[in-house]
Structure formats: structure tokens, C-alpha cells
Amino acid sequence: MARTTKHRVIQKAPEFSGFKPFGVQKPASCEVSINYEEYEAIKLCDYELLTHAEAAAMMNISRPTFTRVYESARRKIAKAFVETSIICFEGGNAVLESPWFSCPACKITFSLGADNPQICPFCKSADIQKNN
Amino acid sequence: MKIAAALTENHPKSVIDEHFGRCDWYGIYDTETREIHYVENPNRYVDEGAGCSSAQMLMDYHIDIAIAGRFGAKVAEFFKKNNVQMIIPEKNKKWDSLLKLINH
């Protein structure tokens, strides 16, 4: 039996669900789905300008695995560009690095450290939600 | 407890800046003395690592909470390591309305 896929740690999920080509006569027929770890790989490597080794450490995977994920992401983006297809962000084997919480009363999002009590830092209410 | 916020201007009516590393001012509020101290962000126009340098600078003020519209990956990691709580308020939230919530 094949080894199970290790969870890739991501910092934050993308805030939108994808891209659509414009200026085309008929709507794109096919869709390219980029999963969350591929989005994270592109973000860490080409946006935050980390090296593959640093990015791999942040995602808690080996450097070769990171390169594979990154390579796959680039190929999918290239395919979408050339074939004018829609890009969707979905799926994958990603887990969020540290959960963020939100307080519906104060309308804030916040992080909790190891020694922080599990309450909203403003209203001190324990009525908080875990995001994602 | 000390609370730092990324601000667009150096007064309480200012809105919380959208990005932690590239804001113009930091407001540092001390909950014990109830004083606000404003520092200009010296790193706002640097090419790289603005967030990390600013975070380092704020650590010298011994802050416990940081408020901004968004934290970069490196900054979030740095604050987590140093046990600084990060807070992201709603968009275009005013600094004085958050101060009211803190004092409440």
C-alpha cells in the first residue's frame, strides 16, 4: 500500500475562489483546479520570495516534495493561461498552521498564543469561533 | 499590557492600516497608564522585510498585542514565536473605536 500523503501546512487559505479569463467569445469550457498547497507553494516561493528549502520547512514537507508541489502548480497555471480555462482553488491535503479565531460581537479576527486564555481579547467573552 | 496598532495617521481618529509592515504610523497604547505613543514606521519604503523589521522594532516596546488589517507570513511567524497576539479588525475600523473596546 502506498504511503499516505503528509499534511502540508499552509499559513492562510486564499480569500477568493479563483480566476476567470475575460475577453473571450465563448466561456471557458474546462477548469483547472489548483489545490491549497499549490497556491501556498506559489505564494511562498514567488510572492514572499523564500527559497524552496525555506518554503518547504514552513509547509512541514521535504524540499523535493515542495518542488514537486510547486512544479505541479506552475504547470496548472500554464495550462490555464494557454487553454484560457478557469482556475479554481479547491481541495488538497492542507492544514492551517495556526488557527485564527473570531469574535462575532467585536467583529475581529485574532490569533491565540499558547498562554492566552481562549477568550476574545476585547470583550473577554468565551463565545469565539474557530475559523476554517 | 501594551497594544500596538498599524495606523495610517498619528491620531486616534486614524483608521487601522490594511498592511502591518507598510503602514505610516504605529500607535502603542499602554493599558496601565492609558497613554498612547506614536512612532513613525521607518521601514515603510524598504524593498524587502518591512514587516519583520517593524515587528522587531515593536518588540523593543514589549508589546503583547498587535493590530493590523493583514499580517505577512514572516511577521505572523515572528509574532507567534514571541507570543504576541495578532488581531485583525473589520476593514476601515477606527483606532479610537478599538480603544473603546479595549478599555471597556
Side-chain angles (χ1 to χ4, degrees), chain A residues 27-99:
Chain A
S29 51
C30 51
E31 231 176 59
V32 168
S33 103
I34 291 188
N35 55 35
Y36 291 136
E37 62 256 32
E38 288 166 342
Y39 165 84
E40 185 75 3
I42 293 279
K43 193 183 88 183
L44 292 176
C45 213
D46 294 329
Y47 183 74
E48 314 255 354
L49 303 175
L50 302 183
T51 64
H52 282 206
E54 286 169 340
M58 278 190 89
M59 289 177 72
N60 197 23
I61 50 178
S62 71
R63 211 272 312 142
T65 305
F66 176 84
T67 306
R68 235 173 311 116
V69 171
Y70 178 71
E71 191 70 38
S72 153
R74 289 181 71 144
R75 289 194 180 162
K76 283 182 181 178
I77 292 172
K79 183 174 176 340
F81 277 8
V82 174
E83 297 178 4
T84 53
S85 36
I86 292 169
I87 299 177
C88 287
F89 294 137
E90 58 190 9
N93 250 297
V95 286
L96 275 177
E97 215 242 324
S98 64

Side-chain angles (χ1 to χ4, degrees), chain A residues 11-12 44 47-50 58 97-98 100 106-116 119 121-123, chain B residues 1 3 48 65 67 70-74 76-77 80 83-90 93 98 101-102 104:
Chain A
Q11 306 294 321
K12 204 174 171 217
L44 292 176
Y47 183 74
E48 314 255 354
L49 303 175
L50 302 183
M58 278 190 89
E97 215 242 324
S98 64
W100 286 77
C106 301
K107 293 191 178 118
I108 56 164
T109 307
F110 54 93
S111 67
L112 286 175
D115 51 357
N116 290 130
I119 54 168
F122 285 169
C123 63
Chain B
M1 192 167 66
I3 298 162
E48 227 179 293
I65 293 179
I67 304 175
R70 199 187 95 89
F71 295 91
K74 288 182 203 166
E77 197 186 16
K80 223 174 295 143
N83 252 318
V84 174
Q85 187 169 24
M86 288 167 280
I87 296 179
I88 302 172
E90 273 181 296
K93 196 88 178 160
L98 289 179
L101 284 173
I102 296 163
H104 163 68

